[in-house]
Amino acid sequence: METEHKAQVTALLVAGRRPGTDPLAAHFGVEDKALIAVAGEPMLSRVARTLVDHPDVARTVVLAQEPERLLAHPGTAWMAADARISTLSGGNSVSAAVAAALETHPEGWPFLVTTADNVLLDAETLTGFVSGARAAGTDVAVGLVPQEVFARAYPDARRTWLKFRGGAYSGANLFFLARPAALSAVRFWQRVERERKKVRAIAGAFGPVLLIGYLLRALRVESALARAGARLGVTAAPVRLDRPEACIDVDKVEDHEIASAILAARG
């Protein structure tokens, strides 16, 4: 019996720097956060290796203001010579860089989006997310880690939790854009980034019923994403991940310490 062919994904690896001085980069004495070393390797290099070595990923595009400069670092030089990796220059807007990549690579659907500080991303997590996103069958899928999964493994670590009816979740910096319809969600992301008062922008786009439902924790995460997607003209769903490390990115010195310890334990 023939099996259904599943197209490989194009991975968009967001590695841009924020305007001004990044406090974490300054703490570690580098100009770009993506070049901070964790367990002896720049974060950008570590995430790129996971992506290019995964069978679901056809190519990886590094998005940054000056990607060539990032790839000139001794710890990332291998990336400049790897035919599976390309770069795309962008401004200070992550959403604009992602939108440009989607338009520049129309042959690349579906797309996976992740970030250079997602240093604990491994093959198992990536496989689980991609398979879950495909199974969801939606235009957009978002990786989330349930609070109870994380708390069992790291009871003393702090995360930011989005609270819904039935549970709280933390983002895993993993997004699956299945088809061109997902561009409308990226365009909304651009609007929110441009809007100084972001809560007002979100309320205006999603409407008061959806916003109040979230604030009162009256919606399950599936319903919240489905309704939000409907307002944007897309279908959207969560992908629950059972790997607690999936929601640990490196934004603070504390995160760097946790990630370093986990990578050391992995050997």
Side-chain angles (χ1 to χ4, degrees):
M1 182 176 68
E2 293 185 1
T3 58
E4 181 185 358
H5 173 71
K6 295 180 180 178
Q8 288 180 293
V9 305
T10 299
L12 304 181
L13 178 49
V14 179
R17 62 181 182 273
R18 298 169 182 169
T21 301
D22 185 297
L24 191 64
H27 176 85
F28 286 99
V30 297
E31 187 175 350
D32 293 272
K33 178 183 172 184
L35 296 179
I36 295 172
V38 180
E41 183 175 11
M43 295 197 294
L44 175 60
S45 174
R46 187 174 291 278
V47 179
R49 288 186 192 279
T50 298
L51 294 171
V52 299
D53 289 340
H54 198 279
D56 281 332
V57 178
R59 66 189 66 82
T60 298
V61 184
V62 177
L63 309 180
Q65 288 93 340
E66 299 175 274
E68 295 81 6
R69 188 171 61 83
L70 289 179
L71 271 55
H73 185 277
T76 59
W78 69 271
M79 296 172 60
D82 195 309
R84 299 167 294 178
I85 296 175
S86 61
T87 62
L88 185 64
S89 299
N92 290 328
S93 167
V94 174
S95 60
V98 170
L102 301 183
E103 294 169 345
T104 304
H105 297 276
E107 79 293 344
W109 297 91
F111 286 87
L112 168 83
V113 183
T114 192
T115 57
D117 62 2
N118 196 10
V119 293
L120 297 179
L121 180 66
D122 59 11
E124 184 176 344
T125 300
L126 194 52
T127 296
F129 175 68
V130 172
S131 62
R134 292 190 196 277
T138 52
D139 300 321
V140 178
V142 182
L144 298 173
V145 175
Q147 186 176 29
E148 62 269 21
V149 169
F150 184 81
R152 282 197 298 268
Y154 304 102
D156 299 323
R158 294 177 294 173
R159 291 288 97 192
T160 299
W161 300 102
L162 300 171
K163 297 179 181 179
F164 297 91
R165 181 181 179 185
Y169 301 86
S170 187
N173 280 355
L174 287 170
F175 306 89
F176 191 85
L177 309 177
R179 53 189 70 92
L183 256 172
S184 64
V186 178
R187 295 299 186 201
F188 170 72
W189 183 9
Q190 286 183 271
R191 283 173 48 204
V192 171
E193 280 193 332
R194 289 195 301 264
E195 181 66 49
R196 290 179 64 187
K197 296 185 178 180
K198 296 181 179 175
V199 172
R200 182 177 298 176
I202 294 170
F206 292 156
V209 173
L210 182 60
L211 186 63
I212 291 170
Y214 166 73
L215 293 175
L216 296 179
R217 303 178 193 174
L219 297 175
R220 301 188 71 86
V221 64
E222 296 87 353
S223 298
L225 280 174
R227 292 190 188 188
R231 292 298 295 260
L232 301 177
V234 300
T235 54
V239 176
R240 287 184 175 83
L241 299 171
D242 60 6
R243 301 269 288 174
E245 296 82 9
C247 67
I248 300 176
D249 54 6
V250 179
D251 273 332
K252 306 182 295 294
V253 174
E254 175 189 355
D255 300 329
H256 187 278
E257 293 171 353
I258 293 171
S260 297
I262 292 170
L263 290 170
R266 289 179 180 175

